[in-house]
Amino acid sequence: MIDFSKIKGKIYFDGKFIDTKKAKIHVLNHSLHFAASVFEGIAIYNNKPLFEKDHFKRFINSAKILRLNLNIGNKKFSEINRYLIKKNKTINGYIRPILYRSTHSMSPDTTHCKSCLAIATWSWGTLFSKKAISLDISRWPKLNKKIFPIQAKSSGSYQSSVIARIESKKNGYDDCLMLDTNGLISETTACNIFWIKNNQLYTPKTDSALNGITRQAVIKISRKLGIKVNVGNYKLNNILKADTVFLTGTAAELQLVNNLKRKRFNIENPIYLNMKKYYDKIKFKTPQSVDGI
Ligand code: PMP
């Protein structure tokens, strides 16, 4: 178990590199109370960030949606990341940029709030340290982009994910599948979902799910491997008939699911194993964007 307030090294905090233990915000911080910060999660392999350009693009877009100001460009972002990776000796790990509001309001009115940027790096393995995980089905729906800014990677969109994860762990599962308000398959608490049926790949549209960068990479890899990719609206009985189910995410990479509510899946599928092998090769080449695969 890591206490993240105790990780060693430096953090980029309001324009300066300071000791991690000193990177503190006040308890009357606006984003803590009103859940409107945006963040990213970028993997580091062999001292280099993977898909850094795509993550930066999504970070800017999330900031725009939440009306936060990100006043650095891609070049500066990349320079800060490289400095932190070197200084913190993060060989394989994670970069967490977060953009949040200052302490100049205690209501949803943000007129006088400033946007503050912090960036941290730390050494990390994969999210689930298991070959295959179990999934519950959450009673909490993922909201649609028409009624919630789902495409922003924002703290607010993790509220239901946090409760859903607590409940699924209590029910004896590692994580859970979340459906949308129409009962269509969306994603899990922090990953996109895919399944293989009769040698074809299936994944939901991103109307009620984050358009994960690992998701985009897996779609590209599958097409390169000649696997037909189907992106659509799917109901629970579609996934329950799957041969193999897996999740994708920056920290989870490609993560097998061995059962969904006790319905078991094949975890030795050669199609999956081939895709995983391809991804594992790509990740150490650290292309700056999915286009570079
Ligand atoms: N959905 C959610 C809700 C997530 O938190 C994540 C992790 N960022 C993903 C999907 C996967 O996104 P990515 O592949 O960009 O990490």
Side-chain angles (χ1 to χ4, degrees):
M1 200 239 314
I2 307 174
D3 177 347
F4 286 95
S5 70
K6 302 217 163 60
I7 56 173
K8 294 206 170 75
K10 300 278 181 194
I11 278 190
Y12 181 81
F13 192 80
D14 272 343
K16 290 189 214 95
F17 293 99
I18 63 167
D19 285 345
T20 300
K21 358 185 228 306
K22 291 186 186 149
K24 291 182 179 167
I25 55 167
H26 197 273
V27 72
L28 296 180
N29 172 274
H30 190 271
S31 293
L32 180 63
H33 292 250
F34 298 99
S37 64
V38 297
F39 61 94
E40 267 307 316
I42 309 168
I44 303 165
Y45 297 103
N46 280 345
N47 305 301
K48 286 195 214 86
L50 176 64
F51 305 139
E52 190 186 42
K53 260 192 188 158
D54 294 335
H55 282 284
F56 185 70
K57 225 193 246 172
R58 188 170 67 187
F59 196 35
I60 295 180
N61 194 43
S62 299
K64 216 163 118 190
I65 295 171
L66 273 281
R67 314 292 197 274
L68 282 149
N69 301 316
L70 179 62
N71 49 21
I72 60 166
N74 198 6
K75 193 164 168 263
K76 175 84 179 164
F77 181 68
S78 193
E79 278 168 19
I80 296 167
N81 291 341
R82 263 147 239 272
Y83 179 86
L84 287 172
I85 288 170
K86 201 167 168 201
K87 197 84 190 157
N88 296 341
K89 300 187 179 71
T90 324
I91 299 166
N92 293 303
Y94 199 70
I95 307 172
R96 165 55 53 86
I98 181 159
L99 189 65
Y100 56 96
R101 285 193 171 87
S102 62
T103 45
H104 296 88
S105 167
M106 269 295 115
S107 81
D109 180 5
T110 60
T111 311
H112 301 292
C113 285
K114 286 182 274 191
S115 296
C116 313
L117 174 66
I119 307 180
T121 76
W122 61 85
S123 299
W124 223 17
T126 49
L127 193 62
F128 300 97
S129 41
K130 284 180 175 181
K131 178 174 178 186
I133 60 161
S134 58
L135 291 185
D136 194 2
I137 299 168
S138 178
R139 67 193 175 95
W140 295 96
K142 279 270 173 183
L143 301 181
N144 186 281
K145 65 182 180 192
K146 287 188 190 145
I147 55 168
F148 193 84
I150 195 87
Q151 286 317 328
K153 191 169 164 63
S154 72
S155 51
S157 64
Y158 284 89
Q159 252 180 30
S160 52
S161 294
V162 168
I163 314 172
R165 182 76 76 94
I166 292 170
E167 290 180 353
S168 54
K169 285 212 141 184
K170 224 176 184 173
N171 293 341
Y173 295 89
D174 296 307
D175 200 346
C176 57
L177 172 68
M178 298 176 81
L179 307 174
D180 71 8
T181 50
N182 296 314
L184 299 171
I185 294 168
S186 170
E187 57 180 345
T188 65
T189 59
C191 287
N192 293 113
I193 194 156
F194 285 83
W195 61 97
I196 302 168
K197 175 74 187 166
N198 296 337
N199 304 333
Q200 293 190 18
L201 191 66
Y202 294 83
T203 196
K205 286 181 180 170
T206 53
D207 293 341
S208 307
L210 189 73
N211 187 8
I213 289 157
T214 323
R215 173 187 182 275
Q216 295 165 40
V218 162
I219 290 174
K220 178 128 193 223
I221 288 169
S222 303
R223 289 188 174 137
K224 277 190 167 239
L225 291 172
I227 301 160
K228 183 166 192 295
V229 183
N230 303 280
V231 179
N233 291 321
Y234 300 107
K235 293 200 173 132
L236 205 48
N237 70 337
N238 292 109
I239 196 169
L240 287 169
K241 287 188 211 142
D243 300 324
T244 295
V245 176
F246 65 97
L247 311 180
T248 64
T250 296
E253 302 181 338
L254 273 65
Q255 173 65 54
L256 277 167
V257 172
N258 56 30
N259 79 82
L260 171 63
K261 265 304 213 211
R262 313 283 180 233
K263 164 72 181 72
R264 299 198 75 81
F265 304 109
N266 176 10
I267 58 167
E268 302 295 341
N269 192 325
I271 295 178
Y272 168 81
L273 295 173
N274 222 9
M275 277 175 354
K276 170 131 180 73
K277 206 163 119 193
Y278 201 114
Y279 185 83
D280 286 343
K281 210 165 75 187
I282 288 284
K283 74 183 188 190
F284 286 110
K285 291 189 181 157
T286 59
Q288 293 206 342
S289 66
V290 170
D291 280 348
I293 292 179

